[in-house]
């Protein structure tokens, strides 16, 4: 069913019995907003008859819509007569927050708002860091939870918003954490290592070869860590860590994607399939600080950006906004970077046109993505959600329990469907009552016949007794 073309929605103020209301007009009646589904005059919205002509939008706790010349603010943009209007359920405000107009408390969106509903990364919001938690240097997502580690501490969250500190974290300057094989593993300075099998709630200390391990990644059934001139590998993240010397200049960060490990540093990038044999690659010159993989793309940041789409074998560079970018992460169709300034950078996957926006003024050192959410950690914790309101609109004409939108025509059809269901129910009730009445009559006839038979039997016994 195609979206309907409707007239602009007008706010007519309080409902008045003598007024003639057209389809799409909105009134206030008994403290609630009502949308006209059919033309009517004198039909009170808040009555049994009114349900055939009006749809309820909100209760008395919702503010009266702002209006200019009787038009609902934010509803008019674009071509007016060609506008398409949507009703947004009160429990689906997330998408509404992405519209230029209307404001969050207004229950309408128009076709003119659609460009503002494109898929995007929301602004980062600070989250409360557990009391006593030191600086955090790394965060990872796995098995439905975020886990972050830092100087002598570890914290976890099931949604990125509420965080709790882990108990009994081994002492150490933990610099990275990764998830794989139902294990969170962490490495730190001075050859420190620890692991958790319960989602980061409790940790077990183990030993790793001596090294100032900066970064850790999981892939191809193994954990691989890097520091300058060395790599370390474990098949389970708990034991059996083994080290190997590699070329210097690639020990800043490591990530895994599409069957390949990529390690970067001031010298450039090198890659490996097994985590033991590494090949140096030619890269643009820069002091590369961080690297990630998402949707077939390796992406590294410093004061510049470089990307590879062939498993880290060749790289192309692009400029970035000024700043020291210390972490980058891909997810939900976007790359996000953070650093030692109060900004973040974001772009669509594979694009090199970056947009710089504000963020809380903390030192940010690491990023992770999960549950449609970017989590950044450092001297604080912040999150930004990826929202895609426009995708919800693609099925606006067949609302379901998870669909936040319905068109005016949907409301009419749903009302008619409810009317048909009510008629069918009344027919069923009538048939049931008729059937029950028939059963009662049959039962009464059976009782009458039984009483008559008993009477005849009694009379027969009396006659026999007299004889």
């Amino acid at each position: 069913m195609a979206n309907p073309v409707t007239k602009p929605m007008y706010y007519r103020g309080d409902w008045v019995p003598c007024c003639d209301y057209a389809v799409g007009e909105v009134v206030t009646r008994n403290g609630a907003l009502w949308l006209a589904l059919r033309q009517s005059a004198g039909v009170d919205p808040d009555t049994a008859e009114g349900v055939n002509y009006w749809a309820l939008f909100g209760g008395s706790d919702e503010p009266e819509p702002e209006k200019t010349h009787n038009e609902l603010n934010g509803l008019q943009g674009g071509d007016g007569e060609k506008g398409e209007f949507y009703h947004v359920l009160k429990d689906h405000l997330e998408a509404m927050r992405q519209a230029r107009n209307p404001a969050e408390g207004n229950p309408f969106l128009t076709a003119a708002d659609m460009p503002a509903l494109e898929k995007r990364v929301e602004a980062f919001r600070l989250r409360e860091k557990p009391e006593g938690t030191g600086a955090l240097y790394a965060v990872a997502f796995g098995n439905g939870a975020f886990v972050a580690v830092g100087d002598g501490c570890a914290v976890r969250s099931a949604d990125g918003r509420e965080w709790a500190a882990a108990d009994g974290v081994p002492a150490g300057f933990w610099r990275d954490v990764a998830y794989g094989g139902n294990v969170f593993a962490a490495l730190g300075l001075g050859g420190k290592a620890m692991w958790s099998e319960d989602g980061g709630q409790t940790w077990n200390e183990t030993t790793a070869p001596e090294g100032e391990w900066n970064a850790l990644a999981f892939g191809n059934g193994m954990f691989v860590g890097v520091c300058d001139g060395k790599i370390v590998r474990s098949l389970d993240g708990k034991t059996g860590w083994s080290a190997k010397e590699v070329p210097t200049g690639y020990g800043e960060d490591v990530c895994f994607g599409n069957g390949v490990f990529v390690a970067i540093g001031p010298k450039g990038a090198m890659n490996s399939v097994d985590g033991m044999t590494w090949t140096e690659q030619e890269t643009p010159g820069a002091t590369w600080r961080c690297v990630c993989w998402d949707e077939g793309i390796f992406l590294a940041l410093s004061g510049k950006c470089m990307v590879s789409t062939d498993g880290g074998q060749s790289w192309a560079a692009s400029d970035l906004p000024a700043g020291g970018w210390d972490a980058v992460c891909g997810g939900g169709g976007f790359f996000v970077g953070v650093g030692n300034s109060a900004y973040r950078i974001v772009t669509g996957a594979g694009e090199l046109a970056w947009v710089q926006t504000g963020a809380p003024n903390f030192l940010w050192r690491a990023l992770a993505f999960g549950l449609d959410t970017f989590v950044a950690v450092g001297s604080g914790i912040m999150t930004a959600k990826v929202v895609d309101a426009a995708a919800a609109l693609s099925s606006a004409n067949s609302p379901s329990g998870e669909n936040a939108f319905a068109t005016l025509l949907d409301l009419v059809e749903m009302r008619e469907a409810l009317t048909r269901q009510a008629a069918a129910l009344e027919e069923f009730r009538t048939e049931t009552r008729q059937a029950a009445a028939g059963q009662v009559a049959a039962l009464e006839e059976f009782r009458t016949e039984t009483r008559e038979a008993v009477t005849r039997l009694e009379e027969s016994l009396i006659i026999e007794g007299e004889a």
Side-chain angles (χ1 to χ4, degrees), residues 66-259:
E66 296 180 2
K67 49 189 178 294
T68 303
H69 303 299
N70 285 337
E71 294 178 3
L72 290 174
N73 279 351
L75 293 185
Q76 283 304 107
D79 295 330
E81 286 289 335
K82 295 182 179 180
E84 296 173 345
F85 299 93
Y86 299 87
H87 168 217
V88 183
L89 302 181
K90 288 188 292 183
D91 58 346
H92 290 83
L93 295 179
E94 197 70 46
M96 221 190 299
R97 292 191 179 100
Q98 304 311 306
R100 300 185 310 277
N101 290 308
E104 180 177 324
N106 194 322
F108 302 100
L109 296 175
T110 74
D113 293 318
M114 294 306 103
L117 295 177
E118 63 187 0
K119 188 175 182 180
R120 66 183 62 200
V121 180
E122 288 187 319
F124 273 105
R125 299 180 182 182
L126 275 177
R127 304 299 179 181
E128 185 175 353
K129 190 167 69 168
E131 185 177 355
T133 301
L136 297 170
Y137 284 84
V139 61
F141 177 80
N143 198 26
F146 293 95
V147 170
V149 299
D151 289 344
C153 62
V155 296
R156 69 180 306 274
S157 172
D159 56 11
R161 298 187 296 270
E162 303 291 334
W163 292 80
D167 295 327
V169 178
F173 298 102
W174 306 108
R175 289 298 176 262
D176 207 358
V177 60
Y179 177 83
N182 201 39
V183 171
F184 281 98
L187 292 177
L189 306 182
K192 301 284 288 186
M194 65 177 180
W195 54 274
S196 172
E197 285 185 313
D198 59 5
Q201 298 181 70
T202 59
W203 292 85
N204 304 277
E205 187 172 9
T206 185
T207 57
E210 184 65 26
E212 304 301 299
W213 304 111
N214 291 320
L216 181 65
F218 178 85
N220 284 345
M222 68 189 79
F223 291 86
V224 173
V226 298
C227 67
D228 192 35
K230 290 183 181 180
I231 65 96
V232 66
R233 187 178 75 165
S234 171
L235 297 182
D236 60 10
K238 299 185 289 187
T239 58
W241 292 95
S242 59
K244 179 182 178 181
E245 292 187 358
V246 294
T248 59
Y250 303 97
E252 288 295 317
D253 199 7
V254 63
C255 73
F256 177 85
N258 202 27

Side-chain angles (χ1 to χ4, degrees), residues 205-436:
E205 187 172 9
T206 185
T207 57
E210 184 65 26
E212 304 301 299
W213 304 111
N214 291 320
L216 181 65
F218 178 85
N220 284 345
M222 68 189 79
F223 291 86
V224 173
V226 298
C227 67
D228 192 35
K230 290 183 181 180
I231 65 96
V232 66
R233 187 178 75 165
S234 171
L235 297 182
D236 60 10
K238 299 185 289 187
T239 58
W241 292 95
S242 59
K244 179 182 178 181
E245 292 187 358
V246 294
T248 59
Y250 303 97
E252 288 295 317
D253 199 7
V254 63
C255 73
F256 177 85
N258 202 27
V260 178
F261 291 95
V262 168
I264 55 95
K267 195 174 179 179
M270 62 179 184
N271 59 2
S272 172
V273 174
D274 60 7
M276 297 298 286
T277 303
W278 294 81
T279 303
E280 296 177 89
Q281 304 296 341
E282 183 177 349
T283 61
T287 304
W288 302 106
R289 298 293 307 276
C290 52
V291 64
C292 72
W293 180 90
D294 188 55
E295 296 188 1
I297 299 171
F298 284 101
L299 187 146
L301 296 184
S302 62
K304 297 181 179 180
C305 169
M306 68 175 182
V307 298
S308 173
T309 58
D310 58 5
Q313 299 182 62
S314 60
W315 297 80
S318 176
D319 290 335
L320 285 178
W325 307 109
D326 294 321
V328 65
C329 180
F334 296 92
F335 291 106
V336 172
V338 295
N340 57 4
S341 59
Y343 296 95
R344 67 183 172 93
I345 47 180
V346 61
T347 182
E351 299 177 4
L352 300 182
W354 294 81
V355 177
Q356 182 170 317
T357 58
N361 191 11
F362 284 76
L363 298 179
W364 303 109
R365 298 182 173 94
L367 279 161
F369 181 81
L371 305 176
D372 293 325
T373 302
F374 286 97
V375 171
V377 301
S379 51
I381 300 174
M382 65 179 179
T383 65
K385 194 171 183 63
V386 174
V387 295
D388 192 358
L393 288 174
S394 64
S395 56
N397 289 317
S398 55
S400 67
E402 298 179 353
N403 193 332
F405 302 92
T407 68
L408 181 63
L409 187 56
D410 287 325
L411 296 177
V412 174
E413 291 189 346
M414 285 188 285
R415 179 68 66 192
E416 291 174 349
L418 290 173
T419 300
R420 290 194 298 270
Q421 290 177 348
L425 179 60
E426 184 58 33
E427 182 179 355
F428 172 77
R429 288 173 175 169
T430 300
E431 292 176 351
T432 301
R433 285 194 293 267
Q434 291 174 347

